[in-house]
Amino acid sequence: MKKYDFRKIEKTWQDVWAKTGIYRAQDFSKKPKFYPLVEFPYPSGAGLHVGHVRSYTAMDVLARKRRMEGQNVLYPIGWDAFGLPTENYAVKTGIHPAKVTRQNSDTFRRQLKRMGFSFDWSREVNTTDPEYYKWTQWIFLQLYKHGLAYKAKSTINWCPSCKIGLANEEVVASKCERCGAAVEEREKEQWMLRITKYADKLLKGLETVNFLPRIRSQQENWIGRSEGAEIQFPISNYQFPIPVFTTRPDTLFGATYMVLSPEHPLIEKLKDRIKNLGEVKRYIQRAKGKTEAERIENREKTGVELRGIKAINPANGKKTPIFVADYVLSGYGTGAIMAVPAHDERDYEFARKFKLPIRQVIAPYFSNTEGKDAIRSDKKTVHRHTAYVLLRHSTRDKYLCLDWEKFGWHSGIIGGIDPGEDPVQAAKREILEETGYRHVRFVRYVGGEQHNHFFATHKDENRYAFGTGMLFELTDEKKAPVELEHTKNHQPVWIEAGRMESWLNLASFQYIWQVLKSNQECFTGNGVAINSGKFNGLNSEEAKWQITTAVGGKKTAKYHLRDWIFSRQRYWGEPIPMIYCEQCAKKPKVLILHGLGGNSRENWLPWAKREL
């Protein structure tokens, strides 16, 4: 078999393709249009890498298939040549970015043509060409005129050595990817594009696009719409309140402290009243040394109380301490949170570390709506204060449970709390009555208050039971006689810890076991309002908006999506066609730059033609 001479054969046909223009898209054609697009490469290296070949080959297959199906295919190529990668390469090699771009794009072009990709080379673009970027400048000016481009202060990753803002991807282990200097957070004035104005439109559009479910979910999470309330927290003897956005206004009565982000402007305004200002400033400086990703991912909660000032909880009028902590970010919500440790995991961890109050205001609610235990409309409902008990053996990894074989229930020990009886006393009495064990030790409460609504078959009545889970430990196995009355419906059984999760089938005890197993006491779900004054008994959704209205809050929506920082490049980027002119008037005015050509920053000012 003759050896395949790819150099000769492929070059021959590539020349034919170039001469005949077989891959050119046709202008004014009546054929169905198809526009496949790959990410244009950054010509910041000496040549392409295998990742380019991989992605371009896949799209090339599709482009060729559509041409064979009779479609008018526009498969363009070009060079995304502005940006930090090219500037970094120029710094590294000492070659001007314009020359680097020209040399590297020539190499890239030669490599792509040798691989035979079916690009339409007649439409090749280069983002550093003034004939190209004058249109990106034109687009920017239209955005500015319509209020979609604006300047604002924003917290960014800052490299003090390179003196430039960095994208999250350019920060590696808290250091600048280029020079290795420690990255810090700084507040800088930036040009921004108001993409958040289109957040709802973007979400709505996801309903009609043919994305894979995983990709659609990623897009929805990126936009991250959160519906909640904005609530004002007054500060003692101070004119201005702290605005807080929360998705859980139903938990307002449980807010026991507040947290400001290290960048919050209120800290500077209140500096004369903060008694430990030096400590606060030192903490803020340390926080600036962390990237946003580190602040989000860091599990160890840190913070400093702003001593000398207190916020007022608008729901109950109680004074609450204010902390500065780096787990709150300035770019989300209002840069301040009401902390509800009983119902938020981050707040719970922080409260435990700083020994702050944890006040439960939402109780888990379990109701039976199906099967023989479903609530019956023809039966009365009896409210009952209840003890939910798990009894652990002191030497064996087992728990004493009740097997209600007749009713199909598997539970811990459960019983009513009589008037004048505290939960621990009631639990000890129930353990003795149900199992005969005399000597038990109370260990702790588990999971807080919970509510259960069901039909009690053995009592022929609906029950609304509310109470607290408790963990006890058996200290010895001495037992007293047990009356038949207490055991006719169930039998006590010892269950190994490893079987508890699958064995327990009552929602109340499944919840208690999960809390015990995870050692996570805060309840983050929806339920019934408790310890919330006149709002007690409302479900979470009702309580949200009734409490919001009662404290003068307003219903609003926030987004994880943030406006796009557009001015990150230092030198090698399309010139933003705006300047601030100090000499034009008494106050600085924005000028639009016209006739831009080339990349020389020194020649910008003469092109300023008129004031906007």
Side-chain angles (χ1 to χ4, degrees):
M1 182 177 177
K2 192 174 181 180
K3 187 177 180 180
Y4 174 60
D5 188 351
F6 66 89
R7 287 185 178 87
K8 180 180 179 180
I9 295 174
E10 294 188 11
K11 178 66 167 60
T12 298
W13 283 106
Q14 287 165 9
D15 290 344
V16 171
W17 297 340
K19 184 176 181 179
T20 60
I22 189 174
Y23 298 132
R24 286 189 181 185
Q26 300 172 21
D27 294 331
F28 311 110
S29 171
K30 294 183 180 180
K31 294 179 180 179
K33 298 180 179 67
F34 182 65
Y35 181 24
L37 185 64
V38 294
E39 292 184 358
F40 294 165
Y42 287 102
S44 57
L48 296 168
H49 56 72
V50 71
H52 293 109
V53 180
R54 178 180 180 272
S55 59
Y56 296 171
T57 299
M59 189 62 77
D60 194 66
V61 170
L62 184 57
R64 290 174 182 272
K65 177 177 182 291
R66 292 299 175 90
R67 289 192 193 94
M68 294 173 69
E69 292 173 341
Q71 297 187 24
N72 185 21
V73 175
L74 172 57
Y75 187 26
I77 188 62
W79 320 112
D80 191 358
F82 276 137
L84 270 179
T86 303
E87 183 175 332
N88 290 347
Y89 185 83
V91 170
K92 181 180 178 180
T93 62
I95 306 172
H96 191 280
K99 188 175 182 180
V100 170
T101 298
R102 185 171 58 255
Q103 291 176 344
N104 289 348
S105 58
D106 287 346
T107 300
F108 281 25
R109 184 187 305 106
R110 183 177 65 254
Q111 290 176 324
L112 290 173
K113 285 187 175 182
R114 286 196 67 184
M115 284 183 277
F117 292 121
S118 62
F119 294 123
D120 183 348
W121 288 101
S122 69
R123 287 173 166 83
E124 178 185 348
V125 297
N126 188 324
T127 59
T128 66
D129 183 349
E131 288 301 308
Y132 178 90
Y133 71 67
K134 71 179 182 180
W135 293 111
T136 65
Q137 293 176 314
W138 179 86
I139 292 170
F140 182 89
L141 296 178
Q142 308 317 306
L143 295 172
Y144 180 81
K145 292 173 184 177
H146 290 83
L148 298 174
Y150 64 98
K151 258 200 165 183
K153 286 187 176 180
S154 176
T155 302
I156 62 171
N157 300 317
W158 179 258
C159 175
S161 175
C162 299
K163 301 186 186 309
I164 194 169
L166 303 174
N168 289 337
E169 294 78 12
E170 293 161 342
V171 179
V172 179
S174 302
K175 294 181 179 180
C176 174
E177 182 182 41
R178 176 162 79 178
C179 72
V183 174
E184 58 188 51
E185 283 196 343
R186 281 196 186 179
E187 191 175 60
K188 291 283 187 181
E189 194 171 55
Q190 305 282 319
W191 278 106
M192 314 281 284
L193 296 183
R194 206 181 301 275
I195 60 176
T196 52
K197 186 173 181 179
Y198 299 92
D200 284 326
K201 190 173 183 179
L202 289 168
L203 277 173
K204 186 71 175 175
L206 289 173
E207 297 175 5
T208 58
V209 293
N210 187 25
F211 284 177
L212 292 172
R214 176 177 57 85
I215 297 173
R216 177 172 171 175
S217 177
Q218 287 175 338
Q219 292 291 306
E220 290 171 343
N221 293 336
W222 174 65
I223 298 167
R225 188 180 194 275
S226 298
E227 191 173 86
E230 189 167 294
I231 295 171
Q232 305 290 333
F233 276 69
I235 302 175
S236 295
N237 303 316
Y238 186 69
Q239 180 180 359
F240 301 105
I242 305 174
V244 166
F245 172 77
T246 175
T247 59
R248 295 296 303 269
D250 51 316
T251 66
L252 182 57
F253 282 82
T256 59
Y257 66 99
M258 295 192 69
V259 182
L260 306 180
S261 72
E263 304 83 10
H264 201 288
L266 190 62
I267 298 173
E268 179 65 22
K269 292 178 181 178
L270 291 170
K271 63 181 181 181
D272 294 335
R273 300 178 57 189
I274 300 173
K275 294 181 179 179
N276 58 332
L277 184 62
E279 183 185 14
V280 171
K281 284 187 173 180
R282 287 191 295 273
Y283 178 82
I284 292 173
Q285 193 61 36
R286 290 196 300 272
K288 287 180 178 179
K290 297 180 182 179
T291 65
E292 183 175 299
E294 288 175 324
R295 287 168 60 175
I296 293 172
E297 296 168 4
N298 188 16
R299 296 197 61 82
E300 182 184 357
K301 297 297 177 285
T302 63
V304 174
E305 183 180 354
L306 307 183
R307 297 191 190 123
I309 59 173
K310 298 284 185 183
I312 308 297
N313 187 322
N316 54 26
K318 293 185 177 181
K319 291 184 177 180
T320 62
I322 304 173
F323 284 77
V324 56
D326 62 12
Y327 79 91
V328 175
L329 304 176
S330 59
Y332 294 96
T334 64
I337 66 165
M338 64 176 213
V340 187
H343 303 291
D344 181 275
E345 291 180 7
R346 297 184 309 164
D347 298 344
Y348 176 76
E349 292 169 5
F350 191 93
R352 288 186 66 180
K353 179 172 181 177
F354 289 91
K355 296 180 172 54
L356 296 165
I358 299 175
R359 184 183 303 127
Q360 184 186 9
V361 292
I362 299 293
Y365 173 75
F366 307 108
S367 65
N368 287 32
T369 57
E370 297 179 355
K372 63 180 182 302
D373 303 322
I375 303 163
R376 292 179 53 172
S377 59
D378 61 326
K379 299 292 182 179
K380 67 177 182 178
T381 296
V382 175
H383 288 71
R384 192 183 192 205
H385 194 191
T386 306
Y388 301 95
V389 183
L390 287 176
L391 179 60
R392 183 175 63 198
H393 199 282
S394 58
T395 60
R396 292 180 287 164
D397 195 17
K398 291 186 175 184
Y399 291 81
L400 188 63
C401 298
L402 300 181
D403 183 358
W404 305 68
E405 186 177 357
K406 180 179 178 181
F407 305 104
W409 303 337
H410 295 159
S411 72
I413 298 163
I414 185 170
I417 300 175
D418 295 334
E421 200 175 29
D422 70 36
V424 174
Q425 290 174 332
K428 287 182 175 179
R429 174 179 51 77
E430 286 293 336
I431 292 171
L432 181 62
E433 290 177 352
E434 303 284 355
T435 69
Y437 286 114
R438 299 171 181 266
H439 302 133
V440 295
R441 179 179 66 88
F442 172 70
V443 179
R444 66 182 179 93
Y445 289 103
V446 182
E449 184 174 324
Q450 61 167 277
H451 291 209
N452 292 273
H453 198 184
F454 60 98
F455 178 67
T457 308
H458 62 302
K459 298 291 185 180
D460 196 35
E461 62 187 19
N462 294 320
R463 285 278 178 88
Y464 192 102
F466 55 95
T468 306
M470 287 171 276
L471 175 65
F472 280 78
E473 189 170 85
L474 184 68
T475 55
D476 69 50
E477 298 190 4
K478 294 178 182 178
K479 297 178 69 172
V482 178
E483 296 181 11
L484 180 62
E485 174 65 22
H486 295 294
T487 59
K488 63 181 181 181
N489 291 320
H490 55 68
Q491 293 295 323
V493 291
W494 285 100
I495 303 295
E496 295 86 356
R499 293 181 53 214
M500 287 288 284
E501 187 168 348
S502 60
W503 193 85
L504 294 168
N505 65 3
L506 293 188
S508 54
F509 282 96
Q510 288 175 336
Y511 170 70
I512 293 168
W513 179 254
Q514 289 300 324
V515 172
L516 185 63
K517 189 174 72 168
S518 66
N519 197 31
Q520 179 57 271
E521 288 285 341
C522 72
F523 172 65
T524 60
N526 292 322
V528 176
I530 61 173
N531 302 319
S532 299
K534 65 181 181 180
F535 305 101
N536 286 346
L538 295 178
N539 66 51
S540 294
E541 200 62 26
E542 293 173 324
K544 278 182 181 180
W545 311 122
Q546 289 195 30
I547 291 175
T548 297
T549 301
V551 300
K554 62 178 181 180
K555 192 173 182 179
T556 186
K558 298 287 184 181
Y559 301 88
H560 182 272
L561 176 70
R562 286 178 283 178
D563 284 344
W564 180 20
I565 298 176
F566 191 68
S567 55
R568 188 170 59 85
Q569 308 304 336
R570 180 174 61 175
Y571 177 82
W572 194 241
E574 54 270 84
I576 294 175
M578 313 285 282
I579 63 168
Y580 280 94
C581 179
E582 297 282 359
Q583 289 79 34
C584 297
K586 292 181 180 179
K587 61 180 181 178
K589 293 191 176 181
V590 178
L591 299 181
I592 294 180
L593 306 182
H594 289 267
L596 285 173
N599 302 317
S600 174
R601 305 303 191 264
E602 293 78 10
N603 295 325
W604 281 15
L605 193 57
W607 286 321
K609 297 297 184 182
R610 69 177 177 84
E611 180 186 333
L612 182 68

